[in-house]
Amino acid sequence: MQLKEFKHQPVLAKESPDALVTQPDGVYIDGTFGRGGHSRLILEKLSSKGRLIAFDRDPQAVEAAREIADEQFSIIHAPFAQMKEELAKIGVERVDGVFLDIGVSSPQIDDPERGFSFRFDGPLDMRMDTSSGQTAAEWIAKVDVGEMTRVFKEYGEEKFATKAARAIAAARDAKPIETTKQLADIIAQALPRNKKDLGQHPATRIFQAIRIQVNQELTQLCEALEAAGSLLNPEGVLAVISFHSLEDRIVKRFFEAAHNPASKLDPRLPLLPEQMPAPLFERPKRVLPSKEECEENPRARSSVLRFAVRTEAPWPEGGV
């Protein structure tokens, strides 16, 4: 397979590895290899005893990882939600850090053949793993209007979700919707422009919602956070970069619940201090990109890095 060349600039490139790697001799996970920008930076911080295991469900990303000729590095073709099961297969039960860079990568967005963006005309695919699963075109062809509306509301936070769903359903009855341009044109004709941001294409939120649905991104994220928490050694770090409010809300709530598990308890329960559940993470922090980075790399503007340190408390069987 011939890979197209794309320029990829990792966001929060200094802050993320600095937060993640606290024990250079340790075992670390990069759950979202992409084109390896963060992986290479993490490797630079490891000692000769350190190890980095990357994950990616995109076959092109796995192919790109072959460029890293480092015995301390390996990659697994699997979603990061499956990291615990996949690591068990190679005898890794505990790690010292897990890094996740959530969402679609720049190379995926910029490749018309992947169908992630309405900026280019290409097949309506949107799968992060092109070797399996349902494409966006297949989902649109079969989903009923009610479910389509729900997806647009929940995953796209689209005000005109019902109107968009009905317009798509009417269009597919006349002709199969198979390309990004077809879908973008249908939405543009059906929905008004955002009055607060006239430069935003009406299809922006719909494309986001369909991509999240096709790849089950939010479910995968929740499962990955739980897996990471259960894998981390005491003093191990979980660091997560997110790019929009849906993802960041999940990460924020996860860290809040893990940092203060007692918040879930009924305050009327007569529990002594020593009976309260111990924190699973401590020292949670939030980092935003600098003004200079945002000017140099516009895609960094919406990024948020959250990280926290694992405690010695056993991970609950039912999760956070």
Side-chain angles (χ1 to χ4, degrees):
M1 176 174 57
Q2 184 66 38
L3 294 176
K4 294 185 171 103
E5 290 295 322
F6 294 96
K7 182 180 178 183
H8 176 58
Q9 199 171 355
V11 304
L12 294 157
K14 181 180 186 303
E15 296 86 346
S16 301
D18 285 353
L20 182 74
V21 182
T22 57
Q23 302 179 55
D25 293 347
V27 177
Y28 290 86
I29 304 300
D30 180 351
T32 45
F33 179 80
R35 289 301 180 266
H38 287 107
S39 278
R40 289 178 173 85
L41 295 168
I42 293 167
L43 281 167
E44 289 177 2
K45 297 187 74 68
L46 300 184
S47 73
S48 59
K49 297 179 181 178
R51 182 179 180 188
L52 175 62
I53 304 168
F55 284 79
D56 209 297
R57 51 176 163 171
D58 188 336
Q60 290 188 7
V62 176
E63 180 74 13
R66 293 181 183 179
E67 297 176 4
I68 299 182
D70 191 325
E71 293 182 353
Q72 294 174 251
F73 173 80
S74 60
I75 189 164
I76 296 172
H77 180 207
F80 55 34
Q82 296 175 14
M83 70 174 81
K84 190 169 185 177
E85 296 85 349
E86 293 296 329
L87 290 172
K89 293 177 184 178
I90 59 174
V92 176
E93 296 183 355
R94 307 295 266 178
V95 300
D96 299 293
V98 176
F99 172 71
L100 305 175
D101 183 0
I102 308 303
V104 65
S105 70
S106 300
Q108 290 169 330
I109 293 173
D110 294 338
D111 185 351
E113 294 300 310
R114 302 301 299 271
F116 283 103
S117 175
F118 48 77
R119 291 189 291 118
F120 317 101
D121 191 19
L124 195 56
D125 193 320
M126 295 197 194
R127 292 173 299 166
M128 291 180 177
D129 184 350
T130 53
S131 67
S132 65
Q134 187 181 51
T135 68
E138 290 168 341
W139 181 78
I140 285 173
K142 298 175 182 178
V143 66
D144 64 52
V145 173
E147 175 64 5
M148 203 188 314
T149 300
R150 182 194 69 80
V151 167
F152 294 168
K153 281 182 179 177
E154 292 186 14
Y155 300 159
E157 299 177 300
E158 174 55 63
K159 181 180 179 181
F160 301 102
T162 302
K163 192 173 184 179
R166 288 174 177 169
I168 291 170
R172 75 185 178 190
D173 288 343
K175 181 181 179 181
I177 303 171
E178 298 176 336
T179 70
T180 53
K181 186 176 187 306
Q182 275 183 281
L183 180 59
D185 287 349
I186 292 164
I187 297 167
Q189 291 169 15
L191 303 190
R193 289 259 175 190
N194 185 342
K195 292 181 180 179
K196 295 181 180 179
D197 184 3
L198 295 175
Q200 184 185 78
H201 193 287
T204 300
R205 294 177 180 273
I206 301 299
F207 267 64
Q208 172 186 296
I210 295 172
R211 189 201 81 216
I212 290 173
Q213 169 65 28
V214 165
N215 295 290
Q216 291 294 292
E217 291 177 37
L218 302 187
T219 300
Q220 291 271 321
L221 174 57
C222 292
E223 292 175 359
L225 294 173
E226 287 286 346
S230 66
L231 283 164
L232 284 168
N233 283 318
E235 294 299 313
V237 176
L238 171 57
V240 186
I241 295 177
S242 56
F243 288 86
H244 63 70
S245 59
L246 291 174
E247 301 162 342
D248 185 53
R249 194 177 304 134
I250 289 172
V251 178
K252 178 183 178 182
R253 289 175 178 172
F254 172 82
F255 276 135
E256 287 176 346
H259 178 57
N260 185 21
S263 63
K264 287 188 174 183
L265 299 177
D266 188 330
R268 294 169 295 181
L269 289 174
L271 296 177
L272 298 172
E274 59 269 22
Q275 295 175 306
M276 302 292 278
L280 302 165
F281 278 98
E282 59 185 2
R283 306 194 292 277
K285 292 185 179 179
R286 172 177 173 265
V287 178
L288 300 177
S290 66
K291 180 181 178 182
E292 292 74 21
E293 179 176 5
C294 292
E295 290 174 350
E296 183 180 340
N297 182 10
R299 283 178 176 166
R301 290 173 185 165
S302 59
S303 64
V304 179
L305 168 66
R306 294 184 188 272
F307 64 94
V309 180
R310 185 75 170 88
T311 67
E312 294 183 355
W315 198 257
E317 287 187 14
V320 173

